[in-house]
């Protein structure tokens, strides 16, 4: 099986590494890729947002399966173009990808499916903003204002704040840019990322993970695309994971089928484990980054066969997934000034270690690997438990040199020290 992966980040690097372990995968390609993926797959330039361009490439290289990593090509319908050309694709249709591309659509689906989520309100007129803010956040009993871009924002369109002016400023900036604003009630409790491979009404969950959105230690600073993740979650009982599948993911999958928007691909549920049980924070229509890097490091089952089964309507016949014992931790190395406009073009030393996955990297003509984006590398540590996995990840990242770079020092620390617990 020849697999073409679409994307250029550490998520796609992790997908390639996992696909390479599948004995039925005998060819790997990536488009457009990065400096790290070039070492393990044939690399092609392509406009990843063009269904015509991706389909033409898949046909030209004889891909038996296309795996789309990022959300933008999915929301724009690249998977539809591939399927229309008879190329098996792991990734939802444009219609189903609205579960991530439109938060208002996702809220409507959850309401119809009876799924618990935050109370919300869409604001699309600046004249209505102040009255809406008064209905959410302090002093009305909520812990904070939650303000979101209704569309795609690469993980950085959300502000959670106790300061009304900060909430108002973010909402006003979105409205000024022509983006509707979603206001939500605050959900208490720790958050869980649960990836599920979905084929219509068939749902196969992967290991639950937890990611870290804020740029600084102790969850300080602005939101980012993700600064690290770990899996599994020692504080999350298996029963709660089953509840997320049975009470959230399966009902949403069934509702999408009912609407004629059947989901085929990776459905990512971001869930808060509140005092009243699991409640949805958001849905994504693809593998999340940086959780994918940790989750796939522990997968023993053949990934290519799993994704092909979902893409061809045969997921229900797959055997139960097998997982490696232990834990995995991902720590993201970011460029100076990220999540603002990042400094790029600096030479990276130590980026070729096996535990290092590339994201914002490129290779110069002289062979040097240089930074080319905000989240530059993901370093993955694996161990018998969370403590040893953290030690492995931080030992590896300490050997990397990139001027001005930064990373969080507390990925998975609270869980390793037993400081996360569910409310009774």
């Amino acid at each position: 099986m020849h697999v073409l992966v679409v994307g250029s980040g550490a998520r796609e690097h992790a997908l390639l590494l996992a696909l390479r372990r599948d004995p039925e995968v005998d060819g790997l390609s990536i488009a457009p890729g990065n400096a790290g993926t070039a070492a393990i797959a044939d690399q092609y330039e392509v406009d990843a947002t063009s269904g015509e361009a991706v389909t033409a490439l898949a046909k030209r290289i004889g891909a038996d399966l296309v795996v789309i990593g990022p959300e933008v090509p999915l929301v724009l319908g690249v998977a539809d173009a591939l399927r229309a050309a008879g190329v098996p694709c792991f990734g939802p249709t444009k219609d189903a990808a609205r579960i991530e591309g439109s938060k208002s659509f996702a809220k409507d689906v959850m309401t119809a499916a009876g799924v618990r989520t935050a109370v919300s309100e869409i604001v699309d007129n600046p004249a209505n903003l102040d009255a809406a803010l008064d209905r959410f956040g302090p002093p009305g009993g909520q812990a904070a204002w939650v303000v979101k871009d209704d569309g795609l924002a690469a993980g950085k369109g959300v502000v959670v704040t106790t300061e009304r002016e900060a909430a108002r400023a973010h909402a006003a900036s979105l409205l000024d840019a022509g983006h509707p604003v979603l206001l939500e009630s605050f959900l208490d409790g720790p958050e869980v990322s649960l990836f599920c491979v979905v084929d219509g009404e068939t749902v196969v969950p992967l290991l639950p993970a937890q990611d870290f959105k804020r740029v600084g230690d102790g969850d300080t600073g602005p939101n980012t695309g993700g600064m690290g993740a770990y899996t599994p979650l020692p504080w999350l009982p298996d029963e709660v994971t089953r509840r997320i599948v049975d009470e959230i993911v399966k009902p949403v999958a069934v509702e999408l089928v009912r609407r004629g928007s059947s989901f085929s691909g990776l459905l990512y549920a971001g869930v808060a484990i509140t005092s009243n049980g699991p409640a949805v924070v958001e849905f994504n229509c693809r593998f999340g980054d940086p959780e994918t890097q940790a989750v796939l490091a522990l997968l023993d089952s053949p990934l290519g066969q799993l994704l092909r089964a979902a893409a061809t309507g045969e997921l229900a016949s797959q055997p139960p997934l097998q997982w490696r014992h232990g834990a995995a931790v991902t720590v993201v190395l970011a460029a100076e000034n990220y999540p603002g406009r990042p400094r790029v073009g600096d030479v990276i030393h130590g980026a070729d270690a096996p535990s290092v996955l590339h994201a914002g990297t490129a290779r110069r003509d002289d062979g040097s690997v240089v930074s080319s984006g905000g989240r530059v590398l993901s370093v993955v540590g694996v161990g018998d438990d969370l403590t040893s996995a953290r030690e492995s990840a931080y030992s590896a990242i300490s050997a990397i040199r990139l001027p001005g770079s930064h990373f969080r020092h507390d990925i998975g620390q609270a869980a390793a020290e037993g400081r996360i617990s569910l409310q009774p």
Side-chain angles (χ1 to χ4, degrees):
M1 172 171 41
H2 184 177
V3 183
L4 168 64
V5 175
V6 176
S8 61
R11 163 185 51 213
E12 288 74 35
H13 197 162
L15 284 164
L16 289 174
L17 291 173
L19 287 164
R20 191 170 63 168
R21 300 196 299 267
D22 186 332
E24 289 197 11
V25 174
D26 55 12
L28 282 174
S29 297
I30 185 165
N34 57 49
T37 59
I40 57 174
D42 295 329
Q43 200 144 295
Y44 299 91
E45 287 297 324
V46 75
D47 178 359
T49 66
S50 167
E52 181 180 0
V54 174
T55 300
L57 173 62
K59 289 282 194 179
R60 177 161 61 88
I61 66 176
D64 301 300
L65 174 68
V66 177
V67 179
I68 300 176
E71 63 274 22
V72 173
L74 295 168
V75 170
L76 293 178
V78 172
D80 304 68
L82 287 160
R83 290 192 178 94
V87 180
C89 176
F90 183 80
T93 63
K94 178 180 180 179
D95 198 34
R98 288 184 296 160
I99 199 74
E100 178 172 2
S102 168
K103 294 179 179 62
S104 54
F105 173 79
K107 290 288 186 181
D108 186 58
V109 170
M110 285 185 276
T111 298
V115 169
R116 290 188 67 245
T117 185
V119 175
S120 65
E121 180 176 340
I122 292 286
V123 180
D124 56 10
N125 186 334
N128 301 329
L129 177 58
D130 286 305
L133 285 170
D134 289 341
R135 292 189 285 273
F136 289 83
Q142 294 294 329
W145 279 278
V146 181
V147 184
K148 298 182 177 181
D149 189 330
D150 184 51
L152 296 178
K156 292 177 281 189
V158 180
V159 164
V160 181
T161 178
T162 58
E163 302 294 331
R164 189 182 192 280
E165 283 309 307
R168 191 185 191 286
H170 183 59
S173 69
L174 294 174
L175 290 168
D176 287 346
H179 296 196
V181 171
L182 182 75
L183 299 181
E184 285 188 338
S185 59
F186 180 78
L187 296 174
D188 63 322
E191 291 188 17
V192 174
S193 300
L194 185 64
F195 298 167
C196 294
V197 178
V198 174
D199 170 20
E201 296 185 9
T202 302
V203 175
V204 176
L206 308 187
L207 288 179
Q210 186 174 57
D211 76 331
F212 295 74
K213 288 295 187 187
R214 300 278 188 171
V215 71
D217 290 354
D219 290 328
T220 57
N223 273 347
T224 71
M227 294 299 292
Y230 69 95
T231 188
L233 310 182
W235 49 269
L236 187 73
D238 291 343
E239 175 191 353
V240 177
T241 302
R242 286 193 292 271
R243 285 188 64 187
I244 296 172
V245 173
D246 293 339
E247 298 176 13
I248 292 175
V249 182
K250 285 185 177 179
V252 164
V254 169
E255 174 61 18
L256 289 172
V257 170
R258 189 192 70 79
R259 291 172 179 237
S261 303
S262 182
F263 195 98
S264 175
L266 197 290
L267 188 56
Y268 165 154
V271 178
I273 312 301
T274 74
S275 53
N276 295 316
V280 174
V281 175
E282 64 176 355
F283 276 107
N284 291 334
C285 64
R286 38 70 193 183
F287 280 102
D289 183 336
E291 300 100 316
T292 298
Q293 293 88 295
V295 170
L296 293 186
L298 297 182
L299 180 66
D300 264 349
S301 294
L303 180 64
Q305 295 171 52
L306 175 69
L307 303 188
R308 180 176 59 185
T312 56
E314 300 175 353
L315 183 61
S317 65
Q318 289 296 292
L321 296 183
Q322 301 298 314
W323 298 94
R324 174 179 174 177
H325 169 75
V329 172
T330 301
V331 182
V332 171
L333 183 78
E336 182 177 349
N337 199 43
Y338 178 80
R341 184 173 182 176
R343 169 177 164 175
V344 299
D346 290 304
V347 175
I348 309 166
H349 297 282
D352 294 328
S355 60
V356 177
L357 307 184
H358 289 232
T361 66
R363 193 173 295 275
R364 292 193 316 207
D365 291 342
D366 65 3
S368 298
V369 175
V370 298
S371 58
S372 63
R375 291 190 296 171
V376 181
L377 303 169
S378 285
V379 179
V380 180
V382 176
D384 290 335
D385 55 25
L386 192 50
T387 297
S388 60
R390 292 187 75 250
E391 291 172 352
S392 175
Y394 281 106
S395 174
I397 205 168
S398 67
I400 299 171
R401 296 290 178 267
L402 172 63
S405 62
H406 58 97
F407 59 89
R408 283 186 59 159
H409 301 80
D410 60 349
I411 304 300
Q413 183 175 3
E417 295 174 353
R419 293 189 281 113
I420 302 180
S421 61
L422 299 185
Q423 301 181 36

